[in-house]
Amino acid sequence: MTVAVETGLWQLDPSASTVALGHRTMWGLVNVKGTFSGVSGRGEVAADGTATGTLTLDVASLDTKNAKRDTHLRSADLFDADNHPEITFVARRAEVRDGGTAQVSGQLTVRGVSRPLSFSARLTGADADALTLDAEFTVDREQFGMGWNQLGMIRGLTTVTTTLRFTRAS
């Protein structure tokens, strides 16, 4: 079964979307979680059913429920928000396949460093006026110049979890 998505322009609904991250620290003993409240995006679905789009995150909006940690995450040691205030993902191609799974490929830019990124997403809702995509994937922060690791406390990959709701652009 192939899921059809309406062609045209789509706008991200930030009030109904979440972008969260999780990373194990303290030598794997603590899972730090955070959410970006500043999220924006848009996309376009072509007549052949493929899609392109852009998702932008405001680095300063990352909230881990710990002000001291959030300040450090925004510092030059990690996200360097003063010099790189946004994280962007440009979807060069997304295609919904059988069963509502979308294969997404594009370019992720963090701290001014761009790397290709591909992952699977689930189309969890679609009608003429709205569509929702859920995805979970991992990112190696060191590939983006985020190698700070005091006493070797931070190891492994960062998990990114998203629920993105798009509505028809007017």
Side-chain angles (χ1 to χ4, degrees):
M1 172 185 119
T2 301
V3 178
V5 175
E6 296 288 325
T7 60
L9 299 175
W10 295 83
Q11 187 70 37
L12 184 76
D13 178 355
S15 68
S17 300
T18 59
V19 177
L21 56 82
H23 196 102
R24 306 234 14 116
T25 65
M26 301 295 289
W27 304 282
L29 300 175
V30 176
N31 190 22
V32 173
K33 296 177 182 179
T35 304
F36 291 93
S37 60
V39 181
S40 62
R42 57 182 164 43
E44 182 172 6
V45 177
D48 67 359
T50 62
T52 57
T54 303
L55 177 69
T56 303
L57 307 176
D58 176 6
V59 172
S61 76
L62 177 60
D63 182 8
T64 66
K65 307 294 185 213
N66 180 310
K68 185 176 179 181
R69 177 176 44 229
D70 293 346
T71 298
H72 186 229
L73 286 168
R74 293 179 191 116
S75 77
D77 284 344
L78 295 160
F79 284 107
D80 194 11
D82 287 343
N83 294 307
H84 305 284
E86 295 179 338
I87 295 170
T88 59
F89 177 71
V90 177
R92 305 238 187 267
R93 182 176 179 87
E95 183 175 6
V96 177
R97 298 195 175 144
D98 291 346
T101 299
Q103 290 304 121
V104 181
S105 60
Q107 200 79 6
L108 177 64
T109 303
V110 180
R111 285 183 57 117
V113 177
S114 295
R115 299 271 188 249
L117 177 66
S118 295
F119 56 91
S120 294
R122 292 170 307 288
L123 186 63
T124 58
D127 60 34
D129 298 315
L131 62 92
T132 304
L133 287 167
D134 290 342
E136 182 174 296
F137 54 90
T138 58
V139 176
D140 182 348
R141 66 187 184 88
E142 290 185 19
Q143 290 185 339
F144 296 94
M146 297 174 61
W148 184 89
N149 190 5
Q150 186 176 27
L151 303 174
M153 292 190 302
I154 305 171
R155 296 187 182 134
L157 302 174
T158 300
T159 300
V160 179
T161 307
T162 67
T163 296
L164 303 175
R165 185 171 192 271
F166 292 87
T167 58
R168 279 268 195 214
S170 40

